[in-house]
Amino acid sequence: MLVLAPILGGLSHLVVTRRMAFFSAALGQAALTGVAIGLLVGEPLNAPYGGMFGFCLLGTLVMVYVKRHATLPPDTLIGVFHALTLGLGLCLLVLVTRQFNVHQVESVLFGSLLTVTDWDLALLLGVGIVVAVMLARNYNSLLLDSLSPPLAKVAGAEPSFLEYLFALLLTLAIVVSLKIIGALLVDALVVVPAAAARNIARGTRSYLAWSVTVAFLAGVGGLVISTRLVVPTGGAVVLAVSGIFFVTLVAGRLTVRRQS
C-alpha cells in the first residue's frame, strides 16, 4: 500500500482533470477480459499478467486512437468499448470456469491480500518506479495539457504524445494494482481520492498532496477493515475512500461558510 497509494493518488487528480474517469472504468473491465484470455491460453492462475497487460495495453491504444480520430463524443466511444469488453469478458469467464472454480478468480474481481505473492510486490514496485519517473518528468506538460491543450502546444508540448503517455501510465498502474483492489473496484481508488482532495484543496500542489494522502489513508484503512472483518480488500478500500470523500465534502463546506 505504501507503493500503491502514491501511484494511484498521484494519477487520480490528473484522471479527474482530464475527465478520464469513465476511461479508467473501461480499463478495469478490460483487465477482467485480459485475465480470462490469459487463463485460457495457459497462464498460471495467480499471475495472468500476460493476458492482462496485453489486452489492456491494446485496448488503451485503440481507445485513444479512436477518440482522437472519430467524430463521436469521447464518453460515447469509451462506452462502446466498455460494453464490448464487458460482454467479451463475461463470455470468456464462462469458458474459464470450466477449467477453474469461479472462487479461484474472485481475487482478481474484488482483490485479496491472501493471493499476493513476492512477484506481485516486485512487479508493483518496478511499475511504480517507472510510473513515478515518467510522471515527474512530464508532470507540468500533462497538467497544462489537461487544463488547456492549445496552450500546452504553444508551450512546446505535443498533446497526442501526452495523451498516449498518460493513458499508458494509467493502464500500467491499474493492472498492477488488481491483485490488491480488484478489477471491479479499481476505478474507485483512481477517481475518488481526487474528488475528495478537490473538496479541501486550495491550489495545484495541495490538490496533488491531498489526493495522495487520501489514497494512502483509504488504503491503510481498507487493509485494517479487511483483516479484522475478513472481507475483500478492494471492497474495504472503496468503503474507506468513500467515507473520506464525505468527510472532506463536509469539511470543505464548513470552510467555505467560515470564510464567507
Side-chain angles (χ1 to χ4, degrees), residues 53-241:
F53 276 109
F55 189 79
C56 286
L57 290 175
L58 176 63
T60 296
L61 294 176
V62 170
M63 280 195 289
V64 174
Y65 179 83
V66 174
K67 175 186 173 184
R68 294 187 60 84
H69 293 84
T71 56
L72 288 173
D75 58 338
T76 302
L77 295 171
I78 295 174
V80 172
F81 184 84
H82 187 281
L84 172 63
T85 55
L86 180 60
L88 179 61
L90 291 175
C91 292
L92 293 178
L93 277 178
V94 173
L95 298 177
V96 168
T97 53
R98 296 176 182 175
Q99 303 178 20
F100 303 97
N101 189 302
V102 67
H103 297 293
Q104 292 178 291
V105 296
E106 277 186 349
S107 61
V108 181
L109 297 175
F110 305 109
S112 173
L113 291 178
L114 300 178
T115 60
V116 176
T117 64
D118 292 341
W119 164 247
D120 296 325
L121 296 177
L123 184 62
L124 175 60
L125 181 60
V127 171
I129 293 174
V130 172
V131 172
V133 171
M134 295 301 297
L135 191 61
R137 290 184 59 184
N138 298 275
Y139 180 78
N140 289 335
S141 298
L142 283 169
L143 183 61
L144 183 58
D145 182 62
S146 302
L147 300 174
S148 176
L151 186 59
K153 193 170 185 179
V154 171
E158 181 54 51
S160 60
F161 168 75
L162 293 175
E163 188 167 6
Y164 278 105
L165 173 66
F166 184 73
L168 290 174
L169 292 179
L170 181 61
T171 302
L172 291 175
I174 286 177
V175 171
V176 296
S177 63
L178 291 181
K179 273 290 194 77
I180 299 174
I181 303 174
L184 299 181
L185 302 170
V186 68
D187 182 52
L189 202 55
V190 174
V191 176
V192 182
R198 196 165 185 172
N199 292 328
I200 53 179
R202 294 296 177 265
T204 303
R205 291 183 179 180
S206 63
Y207 192 12
L208 172 61
W210 275 114
S211 181
V212 174
T213 301
V214 169
F216 177 78
L217 293 176
V220 174
L223 290 176
V224 173
I225 294 173
S226 65
T227 52
R228 292 193 175 184
L229 301 182
V230 194
V231 294
T233 310
V237 171
V238 171
L239 288 177
V241 75

